[in-house]
Amino acid sequence: MAENEKAKSDAGPGSFAAVLASIRPKTDVELAEKLSKLIEEVKATGKKGTLSIAFEVKPVDGGGQAVIVNDSIRVRAPERTREGSMAFIGEGNRLQRTDPSAMPLFDDDIRDAPANVDPNTGEIKEAPRG
């Protein structure tokens, strides 16, 4: 039996996936799920993303044969580009969807027309100064 253990130690550390599955069960499954979601976001945005895993290994007691292994998984998904919307600066520096200096196109818009416009004819009574 001692020869079998010696043969295993001489073979090297083995597969990282096998070690991960044995010491941190379900971490490999969680990584696969997060990688799949990350790939979905990368495809949707056309931008890069990252998936990182870090292991912390610390001795249980002053350098004995046992260690505690903790992992942390970090996903940096690409952000979707947010489209801007156009707005005009109105009275009191308030943003609004319509141009305050433009004439209304429809009768309903007359209500929002500046005070210097005749609501019946749409005629400008006095040119704005500015």
Side-chain angles (χ1 to χ4, degrees):
M1 193 174 242
E3 284 182 26
N4 195 16
E5 286 181 23
K6 185 173 185 337
K8 285 183 183 177
S9 67
D10 289 344
S15 163
F16 180 78
V19 172
L20 179 62
S22 68
I23 62 171
R24 297 296 296 163
K26 299 185 182 174
T27 297
D28 57 339
V29 174
E30 184 180 353
L31 281 166
E33 289 170 355
K34 290 186 184 250
L35 180 60
S36 178
K37 289 179 184 173
L38 177 62
I39 291 170
E40 183 179 327
E41 288 296 316
V42 167
K43 282 176 30 181
T45 62
K47 297 178 181 179
K48 72 176 185 172
T50 60
L51 172 67
S52 305
I53 183 164
F55 293 98
E56 175 188 77
V57 181
K58 59 184 177 181
V60 171
D61 56 7
Q65 292 296 316
V67 293
I68 295 174
V69 179
N70 290 312
D71 64 61
S72 61
I73 299 171
R74 182 174 166 214
V75 177
R76 290 187 63 199
E79 290 190 26
R80 295 180 184 262
T81 303
R82 296 177 55 91
E83 295 294 324
S85 58
M86 188 169 170
F88 296 95
I89 302 170
E91 214 173 295
N93 290 323
R94 292 195 176 126
L95 295 178
Q96 60 189 57
R97 300 287 297 169
T98 58
D99 184 352
S101 65
M103 291 295 300
L105 296 176
F106 305 102
D107 290 337
D108 292 345
D109 293 337
I110 298 282
R111 292 177 286 179
D112 300 327
N116 62 345
V117 175
D118 184 346
N120 296 325
T121 63
E123 199 173 17
I124 299 175
K125 297 177 189 175
E126 184 177 318
R129 298 178 193 196

